[in-house]
Amino acid sequence: MTPLPTPRTAALVPAAGRGERLGPGAPKALRSIGGEPLLRHAVRGLLASDRIDLVVVAAPPSGEGLAEVARILSTLRSEAGVSVGEVLIVPGGATRQQSVALALAAVPADFDVVLVHDAARALTPPATIAGVVDAVRAGADAVIPVLPVADTIKSVRPRSETPEAAAAYDTVGQTVDRSSLRAVQTPQGFRRDLLERAHAAAGHDATDDAGLVEALGLPVAMIPGHVEAFKVTTPFDLVLAEAVLAARIKEPPMPAINLPMVGIGVDVHAFATEADLETEPRPLRLAGLDWPGQTGLLGHSDADVVAHAACNALFSAAGLGDLGSNFGTDQPEWKGAAGIVLLAEAARRVRESGLHIGNIAVQLIGQRPKLGPRRAEAEAVLGEAAGAPVRVSAATTDGLGFTGRGEGLTAIATAIVFPTD
Ligand code: CTP
Ligand code: MG
């Protein structure tokens, strides 16, 4: 396909259905979840996408329906980050397909890509919307988001067709191989000219727009859909939608752009006392190095506060907990492991969670040992374990506190990580 000349994308939102399967009440798109109509959630999701320049809503065609849709969408204007200059409302039709055709007819000529997105899929995540637009712009003429089918699927042989005259039940026709099946969602994305051709040629009432493209004998590309792009159809779906919204409020969404994330970590250990040293020698391990002749720190591990603070900072940045939750008593294989080994494992877990490590900075607080002369050595050893630059520095506390009195050492660390995609 030759590159599309003017990258302008419109999203059509069929919202004119009555929602019969939802039961009595207002048209489905006007029913609320989280105190807001489904349509408002759906249009907000589209407007918030930097891929969408215009939204055309096919509203319930009654005067009342049109006025209600206009009112619902006008209040989106006051929301930060949502520009609603680019919303058109048209009266919908008797079927979904007619509603889409009416909305399509209202798209100005300079739009080259068109999405069709059910108002009923109100909670579709931004990545799904972006994925569909990007796939069309990358050269697929028609794109649908799909999910594998979880249930075993069987066709029905109606009881009227069973040989026994008085069959009491419908029976199984056959089990369909679900591995070759996909459940189809919206938004579906199209080259505008192709969608127009498909609608003009439509000889049947399809339940989705890709079906009309398929009827032309043309390929429809599939990309991964998302469970949260489910269609609100039955009363149960309203309960599910409320639960999805509630979970989103508890867990603020990750930033849409891949901002780096910073973490903080601390570790403290006491120096061994004369009495401790009488029972067993305690060599000092610090910043991944051995320090012959220096009193060691106490702890079940090697008590390397620098390496441990670095681990805590990494876990903190990645949202993976801390040293205790990662290498605690429930993971006995890490008991007594050297700080440097824990740092290598912490870095591995952070990367496994899909993050790059930018760098780690650790500051040691204490009177001794003098870190300065061995800084480069420490940074090399720690950096190799982390697979990223580790900067080490030190400070004293002017004789104040337990570090000032030489009772122990503290290390404070920061780390920065960022998503790999
Ligand atoms: N739709 C539309 N115009 C129609 C029928 C449906 O714009 N004449 C829209 C619906 O508002 C919905 C989407 O198409 O956003 C998907 O349709 P569906 O889930 O079937 O919604 P309803 O037709 O409203 O529900 P039901 O079939 O249960 O009546
Ligand atoms: Mg319907």
Side-chain angles (χ1 to χ4, degrees):
M1 187 183 87
T2 49
L4 297 162
T6 49
R8 301 259 288 160
T9 304
L12 315 182
V13 181
R18 281 193 299 276
E20 272 158 18
R21 286 168 288 179
L22 207 47
K28 181 159 74 180
L30 309 183
R31 303 276 283 262
S32 285
I33 51 168
E36 284 184 353
L38 289 173
L39 177 62
R40 198 162 191 275
H41 288 281
V43 174
R44 179 193 289 113
L46 290 165
L47 289 174
S49 171
D50 60 2
R51 312 292 205 285
I52 305 291
D53 305 294
L54 169 72
V55 174
V56 184
V57 176
S62 68
E64 220 173 86
L66 284 166
E68 181 64 1
V69 166
R71 194 190 61 75
I72 286 168
L73 296 180
S74 72
T75 54
L76 264 181
R77 270 173 219 283
S78 52
E79 277 188 23
V82 174
S83 108
V84 269
E86 312 270 11
V87 179
L88 296 176
I89 301 168
V90 300
T95 64
R96 181 188 181 282
Q97 190 170 312
Q98 285 170 20
S99 295
V100 172
L102 289 164
L104 182 57
V107 176
D110 59 336
F111 284 78
D112 59 336
V113 171
V114 175
L115 263 54
V116 183
H117 186 40
D118 293 329
R121 297 185 191 271
L123 301 181
T124 301
T128 308
I129 296 168
V132 169
V133 177
D134 293 351
V136 179
R137 296 241 169 252
D141 291 348
V143 176
I144 57 175
V146 303
L147 287 180
V149 177
D151 292 322
T152 296
I153 306 286
K154 296 181 193 290
S155 66
V156 180
R157 190 175 177 207
R159 68 191 78 172
S160 58
E161 289 174 18
T162 47
E164 306 83 50
Y169 302 100
D170 293 338
T171 54
V172 172
Q174 58 181 358
T175 300
V176 184
D177 175 14
R178 74 172 177 216
S179 68
S180 70
L181 297 179
R182 297 292 179 271
V184 178
Q185 304 180 319
T186 73
Q188 300 188 347
F190 307 91
R191 273 182 70 118
R192 188 244 182 90
D193 52 356
L194 175 60
L195 186 63
E196 283 175 342
R197 234 178 92 199
H199 270 268
H204 69 301
D205 203 29
T207 52
D208 74 346
D209 302 275
L212 302 178
V213 172
E214 292 153 33
L216 296 178
L218 296 173
V220 174
M222 302 196 218
I223 65 164
H226 196 287
V227 279
E228 292 181 12
F230 68 96
K231 191 175 70 167
V232 172
T233 306
T234 64
F236 171 75
D237 297 325
L238 286 177
V239 177
L240 184 60
E242 293 285 359
V244 170
L245 273 182
R248 283 186 187 172
I249 289 162
K250 266 190 240 109
E251 206 178 309
M254 296 291 277
I257 50 169
N258 288 344
L259 289 176
M261 293 175 291
V262 72
I264 185 167
V266 170
D267 195 42
V268 173
H269 281 279
F271 280 118
T273 62
E274 296 287 332
D276 296 316
L277 294 172
E278 268 165 30
T279 44
E280 58 176 330
R282 190 71 196 173
L284 179 64
R285 283 278 301 171
L286 189 66
L289 304 178
D290 290 316
W291 299 77
Q294 295 275 350
T295 307
L297 294 160
L298 292 174
H300 295 299
S301 63
D302 66 358
D304 184 341
V305 289
V306 170
H308 292 178
C311 291
N312 274 330
L314 277 180
F315 288 135
S316 159
L320 293 177
D322 50 35
L323 214 50
S325 65
N326 275 274
F327 303 124
T329 45
D330 58 327
Q331 297 201 28
E333 64 272 30
W334 300 104
K335 189 167 181 281
I340 202 86
V341 173
L342 297 183
L343 180 58
E345 174 64 10
R348 194 193 64 75
R349 291 185 188 188
V350 167
R351 293 197 175 94
E352 191 180 57
S353 77
L355 297 166
H356 284 306
I357 299 170
N359 77 308
I360 305 169
V362 194
Q363 187 150 48
L364 176 70
I365 302 169
Q367 302 296 122
R368 65 183 171 82
K370 287 253 167 300
L371 197 64
R374 301 190 68 189
R375 173 183 309 172
E377 211 184 326
E379 289 182 345
V381 171
L382 294 164
E384 182 170 346
V390 181
R391 304 292 172 223
V392 183
S393 55
T396 64
T397 52
D398 218 10
L400 296 172
F402 70 87
T403 50
R405 291 189 298 272
E407 293 166 13
L409 290 176
T410 296
I412 297 177
T414 56
I416 198 151
V417 301
F418 51 96
T420 41
D421 48 25

